[in-house]
Amino acid sequence: MSIIKSIRRRLSQLRHTSASSTCNQQNKIQEKKLLILDLDETLVHHSESFATSYALSFTMEGSTYYFNLRPYAREFLERVSQLFDVVVFTANRKPYADPVVDFLDLEGKLIVGRYYHDSGASLCDGYVKDLRIFKIDLARVILVDNCPANFRLQKNNGIPIVSWFFDPQDEELSKLVPFLEKLAAADDVRPSIAERFIRR
């Protein structure tokens, strides 16, 4: 009888531990902020001219595209995916973007969403990435983009990054990590972004 009671107690403990673990994981997911990353000239660069050195190539609509990854792109994604829910938001179309994102995230574990040209908005002064489409408190949303005009509707959610083309010594992504770590712990990302980039 004592053995049966012992087994029952152990099963009860395991159920409690499992439930607590599941709850903690859900809380962690809910606590994560949203990090939105631009694609071209932020994470990768492409050329339609033949390149002798490239990481990825594919043909679409009769044109061949040759891609290289920005230095530290995968290491950057590995780190920020631990801190944020990471999505890619590109001004390009899905057939172009998907092979590139697949290549960046080979196991499909780092990037949780993809948004394409048709998710943006065309205003009288050009294309813009309106972050309200995510329907999340903007205190918890960050966009990293090499084109500041893309986040002009929510400028204090946007982090500009220098456009990357071919410089193998580029370190902009790795330099950005400490600031993103700070933002991950902030109640509201906007004051820190505004202060860093002297915005009013």
Side-chain angles (χ1 to χ4, degrees):
M1 184 64 70
S2 60
I3 295 176
I4 294 174
K5 287 182 179 179
S6 176
I7 292 172
R8 285 174 177 169
R9 279 199 302 269
R10 180 58 182 155
L11 287 173
S12 177
Q13 290 170 354
L14 287 172
R15 290 191 196 101
H16 178 73
T17 301
S18 177
S20 298
S21 176
T22 300
C23 183
N24 289 337
Q25 289 181 38
Q26 290 173 342
N27 287 338
K28 285 181 180 179
I29 291 171
Q30 291 169 357
E31 288 170 3
K32 279 188 174 183
K33 297 178 177 67
L34 182 65
L35 177 63
I36 306 159
L37 302 174
D38 175 50
L39 189 59
D40 288 289
E41 280 66 71
T42 296
L43 295 174
V44 302
H45 173 71
H46 89 267
S47 172
E48 293 181 48
S49 301
F50 176 73
T52 55
S53 176
Y54 56 89
L56 170 71
S57 70
F58 62 85
T59 300
M60 183 182 71
E61 297 177 351
S63 297
T64 301
Y65 297 85
Y66 302 90
F67 289 85
N68 278 299
L69 304 188
R70 189 171 199 154
Y72 306 105
R74 285 209 177 103
E75 294 88 344
F76 175 80
L77 287 171
E78 288 277 358
R79 177 56 183 146
V80 297
S81 67
Q82 297 170 3
L83 303 169
F84 302 93
D85 287 325
V86 179
V87 304
V88 166
F89 191 170
T90 175
N92 270 300
R93 293 178 297 135
K94 177 180 172 66
Y96 168 96
D98 275 351
V100 184
V101 177
D102 288 342
F103 187 71
L104 278 165
D105 186 7
L106 293 172
E107 296 184 3
K109 296 179 179 179
L110 307 178
I111 297 168
V112 301
R114 306 176 185 195
Y115 294 79
Y116 311 99
H117 183 274
D118 57 0
S119 295
S122 294
L123 304 181
C124 59
D125 56 347
Y127 185 81
V128 65
K129 296 175 180 177
D130 187 348
L131 305 183
R132 290 173 295 186
I133 67 167
F134 295 99
K135 302 187 186 304
I136 297 173
D137 181 358
L138 291 178
R140 304 175 60 79
V141 179
I142 304 161
L143 169 62
V144 178
D145 202 309
N146 70 303
C147 181
N150 283 339
F151 50 75
R152 63 189 179 278
L153 291 183
Q154 296 95 14
K155 62 181 181 179
N156 289 334
N157 292 92
I159 297 176
I161 189 168
V162 176
S163 296
W164 181 75
F165 297 98
F166 289 111
D167 180 10
Q169 305 302 318
D170 181 89
E171 297 182 347
E172 293 302 314
L173 289 176
S174 60
K175 288 179 180 177
L176 188 56
V177 168
F179 184 52
L180 290 174
E181 290 173 337
K182 174 184 175 181
L183 294 180
D187 291 330
D188 186 338
V189 302
R190 293 168 294 186
S192 293
I193 293 175
E195 180 181 4
R196 182 173 176 121
F197 299 103
I198 318 176
R199 296 173 185 159
R200 298 290 184 267

